[in-house]
Amino acid sequence: LNESLPNLTKRDRFLRACRGQPCDRPPVWFMRQAGRFLPEYREVRAKVDFLTLCKTPDLAAEVTFQPLRRFGFDAAILFSDILVVPEAMGLKLSFGAGEGPRFADPVRTRDDLARLRPIDPGRDLAYVPAAIRAIKAGLPDGEALIGFAGAPFTLACYMVEGEGSASFARVRTMMHADRETYDALMRRLADAVADYLLAQVEAGADAVQLFDTWAGLLDGPTWAARVAPYVRTVLERLDHAGVPRIYFAAGGAHLLPHLATLGMEVAGVDWRSPLTVARELLPPGTAVQGNLDPVLLLGPADTAVARAREILVEGDAAPGHIFNLGHGVLPDTPPATVSAVVEAARGFRSRHWT
Ligand code: CP3
C-alpha cells in the first residue's frame, strides 16, 4: 500500500465508494445484516415484539450495532421497517408470527385514500430520528450510517394488497383500472418518503437507500411511465441534502436501461445481473452495490467465498463498488459463513488504490 495514501475510516471508505472514488478496498455491508439469523437479535426479540423494537430507539440502536460488532461491516443500516411510513399515515399494521406484515385496512378506493393522514416525520415518526441519533452516538468503529425508506411503488404494493403477495395484482390492476387513485396514492407516498428521508438525514444519516423490492414485477416501459416519476420526485427532493442516494430495484435486471434518468449515486444490483453488465447500462460514474446471491450463504462457506472473490474482482473493474448481497440475508444463514465472506471482502485490495 502506498504510504502517501490516507488511512480511510469506514465512513470515508463507504462515502468515497458511493461517489465513485477509489478506495483501498470496497466497503462492505449486507442488506438485512441485523435480524433473526443472529442469536443476539433473537435474544432481544424474545423480550419485545418487532414493532416495539423499531419504536424503542435504544433497542433499535442496540440491534443496529450487533452485526457491526460481530462482522466489522463498514456501514450500519438503521434498524426499522419500510412499513412504518404507511402506519404513520394511519394504516393499522401488524406482523403476525411467521406470516409477514398485514394491514387491517388496505387502500383500494378513493375513499380509502381520503382516510390517509399527511405525515410530519418529526412528530409521527419521531422514534426514527431518535434512533438515528442514538446510533450515531454509539457506532463502534466510525461506520457510516445508512437511512432508508420503501420506494413509493413497493409501499403501495403492501398498502393496496394489505399483505405480502407473489404478484401484487391489486395495485397493478389499480394502476390501469383506476389511474387517478393510483397516481394520487403514489404522489402522497413520494412526498411522505421524501420528507421522511430528509428527517433521517437531518438526524445524521450519512446516505439513504430506497428499497423498491417489487419494482421487478413490472415491465420496463410500465416501470418507466408509472413508477419512475415518483422515484425521481423523491431523489430530486434529496438533491441538496448532501448524501449519496442508493436505489435498489430487486429483480430489476430488465429495468437497468431505464434507471439512467433517475440520477442516483448508487444502483443496488441483485445477483441476476453481473456488475459489469449493470455498469454498461447505467450512466458513467454510477456506483454499483451488490451482488452475492444470499442463497450461497446457506451452502458451503468455501463456495460462497469463491463467488465473493469473483464479484470483488468484477467490481474492481472501475472505482465505485460497494460489496453487498444481491438481496437480504436469509433467516437460516449461519453467521460463520457471513464472517468468512466479510473477511474475504475486507482482505481484498483494489487495483485503483496506488
Ligand atoms: O437491513 C437491515 O438490517 C435493516 C432492517 C430492515 C428490516 N426490514 C427489518 C426487518 C430493512 C431495511 C427492512 C426493509 C423491508 N421491510 C423491506 C424491503 C427490503 C427488501 O428485502 O427488499 C420489505 C419488503 C419489508 C417488509 C417486511 N418486513 C417483510 C416482508 C417482513 C417479513 C419477512 C420476514 O423476514 O419476517 C418484515 C419483517 C422484518 N423487517 C424483520 C426484520 C428484522 C423480521 C421481524 C422479526 O420477526 O424479528
Side-chain angles (χ1 to χ4, degrees):
L1 201 70
N2 185 328
E3 299 295 328
S4 67
L5 289 172
N7 283 325
L8 296 178
T9 65
K10 290 179 169 176
R11 181 172 176 275
D12 288 341
R13 181 180 293 117
F14 177 79
L15 292 174
R16 287 179 62 88
C18 288
R19 306 271 184 218
Q21 296 163 351
C23 294
D24 49 356
R25 61 167 175 84
V28 188
W29 72 280
F30 284 4
M31 291 183 275
R32 287 285 184 101
Q33 62 192 23
R36 284 167 304 189
F37 82 108
L38 290 177
E40 57 271 36
Y41 174 84
R42 293 196 300 269
E43 215 172 287
V44 174
R45 270 285 277 111
K47 293 176 217 142
V48 290
D49 66 60
F50 174 64
L51 276 173
T52 303
L53 177 49
C54 293
K55 293 178 184 182
T56 310
D58 289 343
L59 289 179
E62 168 55 25
V63 297
T64 300
F65 298 147
Q66 288 174 347
L68 308 178
R69 293 188 197 120
R70 193 190 262 262
F71 305 112
F73 286 117
D74 295 289
I77 182 160
L78 163 72
F79 189 86
S80 186
D81 197 83
I82 62 169
L83 300 179
V84 298
V85 167
E87 189 196 40
M89 295 171 92
L91 296 192
K92 289 184 202 69
L93 173 63
S94 62
F95 286 89
E99 291 171 29
R102 182 179 292 270
F103 288 116
D105 41 8
V107 178
R108 306 253 168 93
T109 64
R110 280 186 77 84
D111 289 346
D112 293 334
L113 197 65
R115 286 192 278 117
L116 295 179
R117 291 198 296 258
I119 60 160
D120 169 355
R123 182 191 64 206
D124 305 313
L125 289 156
Y127 55 88
V128 171
I132 288 176
R133 288 188 293 267
I135 295 165
K136 287 289 277 193
L139 284 168
D141 189 25
E143 294 86 349
L145 174 58
I146 303 165
F148 74 90
F153 176 70
T154 288
L155 294 178
C157 282
Y158 287 100
M159 293 169 80
V160 176
E161 196 69 35
E163 60 191 353
S165 160
S167 63
F168 288 100
R170 282 194 169 97
V171 71
R172 297 202 294 119
T173 303
M174 180 195 277
M175 185 186 283
H176 305 293
D178 186 359
R179 214 185 151 116
E180 252 180 63
T181 303
Y182 171 83
D183 284 328
L185 174 60
M186 291 290 279
R187 261 197 310 277
R188 295 282 298 270
L189 286 170
D191 282 339
V193 166
D195 290 341
Y196 179 54
L197 289 175
L198 285 167
Q200 292 186 32
V201 173
E202 199 178 318
D206 296 303
V208 293
Q209 175 155 330
L210 267 181
F211 282 93
D212 221 346
T213 307
W214 300 109
L217 290 172
L218 303 171
D219 61 274
T222 302
W223 179 86
R226 313 303 304 282
V227 171
Y230 303 99
V231 177
R232 210 173 285 120
T233 298
V234 175
L235 295 176
E236 278 171 4
R237 287 203 44 211
L238 286 156
D239 249 345
H240 301 292
V243 300
R245 298 159 296 179
I246 309 167
Y247 178 69
F248 174 57
H254 60 293
L255 303 178
L256 284 167
H258 300 273
L259 295 186
T261 59
L262 290 182
M264 69 280 171
E265 284 71 25
V266 185
V269 180
D270 81 8
W271 65 93
R272 300 162 184 95
S273 329
L275 294 179
T276 317
V277 173
R279 276 194 169 123
E280 278 165 12
L281 296 170
L282 290 163
T286 307
V288 290
Q289 175 174 279
N291 67 345
L292 185 72
D293 184 346
V295 164
L296 286 183
L297 298 176
L298 302 178
D302 53 348
T303 308
V305 167
R307 179 65 193 127
R309 292 215 165 96
E310 291 174 354
I311 290 168
L312 288 159
V313 170
E314 206 185 331
D316 204 39
H321 175 219
I322 299 157
F323 184 79
N324 203 316
L325 304 179
H327 206 163
V329 178
L330 297 165
D332 292 329
T333 300
T337 312
V338 173
S339 289
V341 168
V342 172
E343 280 316 303
R346 287 168 38 113
F348 184 81
R349 284 294 164 268
S350 170
R351 65 189 180 87
H352 303 287
W353 189 254
T354 53

